[in-house]
Amino acid sequence: MDGVDLSAVARRVGTPCHVYSASAIRERIGALQTALHGLDAQVCYAVKANSNVAILQLMAEAGLGADIVSGGELWRCLRAGIPPHSIVFSGVGKTADEIADALDAGVARFNVESADELDLLQRMAAERNVIAHASVRINPDVDALTHSKISTGKSENKFGVGIDEARRWFGASAALTHVRLDGLHVHIGSQLLDLDPIRLALQRVATLWRELVAAGHSIGSIDVGGGLGVCYRAGHDHPISAEDYANVIRGALAGFAGRILLEPGRWLVAEAGVLLTQVIRVKQGRQRKFLVLDAAMTELVRPSLYGAWHDIVPVTREARPPQVYDIVGPVCETSDTFARDRALPECGPGDLLMIKATGAYGASMASNYNSRPLAAEVLLDRGRYAVVRRRQTFDEMVAGEQPATDWESP
Ligand code: LLP
């Protein structure tokens, strides 16, 4: 992978470990930028997909901005050198502290998701005597045709506001002395493999943009969100190409003179990553044969949480007869299952496998459950590798915990 022998990485760094190819990420960035050629577009990488500082640095070097959803993500981005003027702040639960940090850092724009948040932003910007740029996150009531747990654009979802409410905000925007409400934002969901819902959502946003401009408002930015899907299952998932995606944006926003923002996460990093894991043992149960790995839901929760499929393959390809396994981790939950009834070349203890397309929502969703230290992360680049997160030590794992000796009365 990226000119590096993965077995050697596994020997040096140990397993489980996340491995990412810098070349593959740069290739995706390049493909997207080529597809967007001629548009005034800024790609703001959705940090939640993979927030390792080394990955963020790679994005910064390529000129990408960031889409953040927390004070922690803001902090990481600043640390990685992503300029605040290319950071947009999304999320339904921005706290006053987070808004304060973002205003003080000078982020480009807030994607505002409720009237309460808009009021708070106005008050806090006024206190600091700064002008905050804001976009309304539109909930277009479109079914993204993806897993319900990662669908965000239906009216029943917590995200954004309806078009009527957005209209009212603009109608009352003259009263906002310290917020410039001059943008629209939409994000209907993640792992989208169908262009139709994207087109429909953008058309609804475009209709609103034209109406607002006709009413005398100025719209400087339309943020089309992220969501572009990837291939988790070879021969089964057929991702949308960057060109087709860009053409839908071009079509829907034709005539828009402002800046178009995009917030892809998964598409940039998912297929650039694999999770390296060793077989601990093969266990023949009464009904099923289990392949017990040293990776678990703590390193990759997607199969447990969404029933997501990830292709799993041996790292070294020897001809061995196929076997059907339930592929599981060591965590004490039945949901700690990567795959059921999956055919693999026969495996034994010590065999090295890779779980594919884990570069997004793998390490960034990791946990210490069962007191498992966070796994190492490794970046590959044209024949070289660098450890970009060392495996957590037990000491680091319990840092901040202490016996209850300092009792205080409130
Ligand atoms: N923008 C906003 C406002 C978002 O909420 C998200 C993702 C993105 C952009 C980036 O979406 P992407 O391009 O990565 O699909 N943990 C789930 C995915 C949750 C996505 C949440 N929001 C998974 O593993 O499938």
Side-chain angles (χ1 to χ4, degrees), residues 46 48-49 67 69 90-91 111 113 137 149-150 152 159 185 187 189-192 225-229 232 263-267 302 305-306 360-361 365:
K48 61 176 84 68
D67 163 50
V69 291
S90 308
N111 290 330
E113 307 217 19
R137 175 162 178 183
K149 290 193 180 166
I150 53 175
T152 55
F159 300 99
H185 172 231
H187 171 79
S190 205
Q191 181 57 6
L192 310 181
L228 211 47
Y232 284 111
E263 302 170 347
R266 187 190 320 262
W267 193 82
R302 303 192 69 259
L305 198 53
Y306 317 117
Y361 305 112
M365 294 179 82

Side-chain angles (χ1 to χ4, degrees), residues 43-47 49-51 55-56 59 64-67 262 264-265 268-269:
V43 178
C44 293
Y45 166 64
V47 171
N50 185 327
S51 43
I55 300 290
L56 298 181
M59 301 297 174
L64 266 55
D67 163 50
L262 296 92
L268 293 174
V269 292

Side-chain angles (χ1 to χ4, degrees), residues 61-180:
E61 279 160 22
L64 266 55
D67 163 50
I68 60 164
V69 291
S70 70
E73 287 190 351
L74 173 64
W75 191 87
R76 279 178 182 275
C77 287
L78 298 176
R79 182 155 172 154
I82 296 182
H85 62 76
S86 55
I87 296 178
V88 298
F89 192 178
S90 308
V92 292
K94 301 178 192 80
T95 64
D97 284 347
E98 288 174 324
I99 291 175
D101 287 349
L103 284 171
D104 295 342
V107 304
R109 183 167 284 282
F110 292 80
N111 290 330
V112 177
E113 307 217 19
S114 63
D116 178 70
E117 182 192 336
L118 186 60
D119 286 347
L120 181 61
L121 183 61
Q122 156 66 23
R123 267 185 283 129
M124 296 188 65
E127 270 165 26
R128 289 168 171 71
N129 201 23
V130 294
I131 303 282
H133 283 264
S135 298
V136 184
R137 175 162 178 183
I138 303 294
N139 181 318
D141 197 21
V142 165
D143 184 348
L145 306 176
T146 184
H147 194 289
S148 64
K149 290 193 180 166
I150 53 175
S151 191
T152 55
K154 291 283 289 169
S155 56
E156 71 213 44
N157 298 135
K158 70 180 171 183
F159 300 99
V161 301
I163 288 179
D164 285 344
E165 181 167 352
R167 237 182 237 125
R168 287 199 294 277
W169 289 13
F170 278 95
S173 60
L176 297 171
T177 52
H178 290 77
V179 173
R180 193 157 299 143

